[in-house]
């Protein structure tokens, strides 16, 4: 059981209150206090109210931020600047994850998992976890052919610097975006959510330093059975590939059970799972390497 404290009561606290109570009833957490800027009562919902300053000085295992969810990053940065351990600060929004379990969430966060992905699945997953990006494969994509080649030579090519190749046009955003190449490998990195190559390279280098090689989670989407076979042969311990067909390969997850797959395509379908628009797996179990992560049978 973890002792948690909450600071700021706002929309997040109101929306997640039932789940907070549920986690207490399950013996996962104990709420030892709530910090408010305007202290005019002794308790709320059975929890003692203190000033924010007093809560920060208490002995808690994790500090959860309520208030408006869009302010989480700024509040976390402020807390870190005054000495609070960044790894002990969570957003109350995590309680909205389907089948949320606080102990399992802590396990995922303590592993500091680096998600390697060839499309937006990794970024959506980090957003769902309310975790910083521990991977450079964010806001970009890599073609299936280049990506499997990169994974087959990962230790070598991930150390390469990226070189500017050219700009391409993004029809949805109606603007150009940069394309880089990993050293002399020929592997193209399509930075479709960046305006300039300088910005893309800076973010790539910054996030590459956060890679945790002891906790890699490899994900891809592919509609190519030959590429899937190569993916299956990769030596990574934790890996999944979303595919639009049935297959006996252990690393593959077939999304053929979804009627909208044909309309969305495999990439968009996989992203809808990561963003929470479509339910299929228990994310925390999946990232923890538990075999019973699937919610459908």
């Amino acid at each position: 059981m973890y002792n948690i404290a909450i600071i700021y009561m706002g929309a997040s606290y109101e929306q997640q209150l039932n789940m907070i109570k549920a986690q207490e009833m399950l013996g996962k957490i104990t709420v030892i206090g709530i910090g408010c800027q305007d202290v005019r009562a002794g308790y709320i919902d059975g929890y003692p109210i203190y000033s924010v300053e007093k809560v920060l000085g208490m002995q808690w295992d994790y500090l959860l931020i309520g208030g408006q969810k869009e302010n989480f990053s700024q509040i976390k940065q402020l807390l870190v600047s005054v000495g609070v351990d960044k790894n002990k600060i969570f957003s109350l929004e995590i309680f909205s994850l389907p089948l949320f379990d606080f102990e399992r969430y802590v396990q995922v966060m303590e592993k500091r998992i680096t998600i390697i992905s060839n499309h937006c699945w990794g970024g959506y997953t980090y957003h769902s976890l309310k975790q910083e990006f521990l991977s450079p494969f964010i806001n970009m994509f890599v073609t299936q052919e280049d990506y499997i080649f990169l994974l087959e030579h990962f230790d070598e090519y991930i150390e390469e610097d990226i070189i500017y190749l050219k700009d391409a046009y993004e029809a949805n955003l109606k603007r150009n975006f940069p394309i880089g190449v990993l050293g002399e490998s020929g592997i193209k990195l399509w930075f479709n959510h960046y305006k300039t190559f300088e910005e893309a390279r800076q973010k790539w280098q910054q996030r590459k330093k956060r890679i945790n090689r002891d906790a890699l989670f490899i994900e891809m989407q592919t509609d190519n059975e030959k590429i899937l076979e190569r993916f299956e042969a990769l030596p990574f311990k934790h890996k999944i590939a979303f595919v639009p067909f049935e297959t006996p390969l252990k690393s593959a997850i077939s999304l053929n059970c979804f009627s909208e797959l044909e309309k969305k395509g495999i990439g968009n379908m996989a992203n809808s799972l990561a963003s929470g628009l479509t339910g299929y797996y228990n994310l925390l179990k999946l990232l923890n390497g538990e075999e019973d992560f699937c919610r459908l049978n």
Side-chain angles (χ1 to χ4, degrees):
M1 181 182 293
Y2 295 99
N3 289 330
I4 69 167
I6 301 171
I7 59 173
Y8 306 120
M9 292 187 306
S12 292
Y13 175 81
E14 297 299 322
Q15 292 167 2
Q16 308 306 332
L17 180 57
N18 290 343
M19 277 303 299
I20 295 170
K21 293 290 187 181
Q23 289 296 295
E24 278 193 306
M25 292 175 63
L26 290 170
K28 307 290 185 177
I29 62 174
T30 296
V31 180
I32 63 173
I34 295 183
C36 300
Q37 292 173 303
D38 187 9
V39 182
R40 293 189 178 181
Y43 291 84
I44 182 170
D45 303 318
Y47 305 134
I49 298 176
Y50 306 103
S51 67
V52 173
E53 292 74 18
K54 184 168 183 178
V55 166
L56 293 181
M58 296 171 67
Q59 297 298 312
W60 36 259
D61 296 311
Y62 292 96
L63 183 66
L64 279 77
I65 310 303
Q68 301 299 320
K69 60 184 179 180
E70 59 268 19
N71 296 332
F72 172 66
S73 295
Q74 293 89 336
I75 296 174
K76 182 175 181 178
Q77 290 176 5
L78 178 60
L79 292 170
V80 171
S81 71
V82 297
V84 180
D85 184 349
K86 69 176 182 179
N87 297 317
K88 301 296 183 180
I89 305 170
F90 297 157
S91 168
L92 268 181
E93 290 297 304
I94 62 176
F95 284 83
S96 64
L97 283 170
L99 303 175
F100 177 75
D101 178 279
F102 194 84
E103 291 179 346
R104 191 170 275 116
Y105 180 82
V106 169
Q107 291 172 4
V108 170
M109 297 302 283
E110 287 183 342
K111 289 177 181 177
R112 295 188 60 77
I113 295 171
T114 287
I115 298 172
I116 307 298
S117 173
N118 70 322
H119 61 137
C120 293
W121 189 89
Y124 280 127
T125 298
Y126 279 123
H127 279 302
S128 295
L129 294 171
K130 302 298 182 288
Q131 184 182 22
E132 68 174 335
F133 297 136
L134 302 177
S135 168
F137 292 82
I138 302 295
N139 294 329
M140 55 166 294
F141 70 91
V142 188
T143 64
Q144 298 176 31
E145 294 78 8
D146 276 2
Y147 185 61
I148 195 67
F149 186 59
L150 167 61
L151 293 178
E152 290 170 337
H153 304 85
F154 184 78
D155 289 339
E156 175 186 356
Y157 290 147
I158 196 62
E159 298 300 331
E160 297 284 347
D161 195 5
I162 54 175
I163 303 167
Y164 174 75
L165 178 64
K166 62 180 180 179
D167 277 9
Y169 184 71
E170 171 57 69
N172 292 327
L173 300 175
K174 298 181 180 179
R175 62 168 174 78
N176 289 334
F177 68 89
I179 303 173
V181 178
L182 270 179
E184 298 181 358
S185 68
I187 297 169
K188 298 182 182 65
L189 306 177
W190 301 70
F191 295 106
N192 56 320
H193 288 284
Y194 297 92
K195 294 181 179 179
T196 67
F197 177 73
E198 290 73 21
E199 177 192 13
R201 184 177 183 274
Q202 178 187 15
K203 291 295 186 181
W204 175 272
Q205 299 288 13
Q206 179 187 48
R207 292 165 180 162
K208 191 169 79 169
K209 294 177 182 177
R210 302 175 189 163
I211 291 178
N212 182 2
R213 293 179 180 271
D214 294 326
L216 294 178
F217 189 93
I218 313 299
E219 182 274 344
M220 80 172 298
Q221 54 85 16
T222 181
D223 54 7
N224 187 308
E225 295 190 47
K226 295 296 184 182
I227 288 180
L228 177 61
E229 291 174 2
R230 291 166 66 184
F231 185 84
E232 177 78 8
L234 293 172
F236 301 105
K237 182 178 180 180
H238 299 295
K239 63 183 187 234
I240 57 168
F242 294 102
V243 299
F245 47 78
E246 299 298 328
T247 173
L249 297 184
K250 186 177 179 180
S251 62
I253 295 180
S254 173
L255 300 185
N256 206 28
C257 57
F258 292 102
S259 59
E260 63 262 47
L261 175 62
E262 184 175 345
K263 180 176 65 176
K264 286 186 175 181
I266 186 63
N268 289 331
M269 194 68 229
N271 288 340
S272 73
L273 303 183
S275 62
L277 297 177
T278 304
Y280 180 79
Y281 50 71
N282 181 320
L283 175 60
L284 299 180
K285 283 189 174 184
L286 176 65
L287 296 180
N288 265 327
E290 301 176 50
E291 293 186 358
D292 60 338
F293 62 83
C294 186
R295 293 166 55 190
L296 299 178
N297 56 45

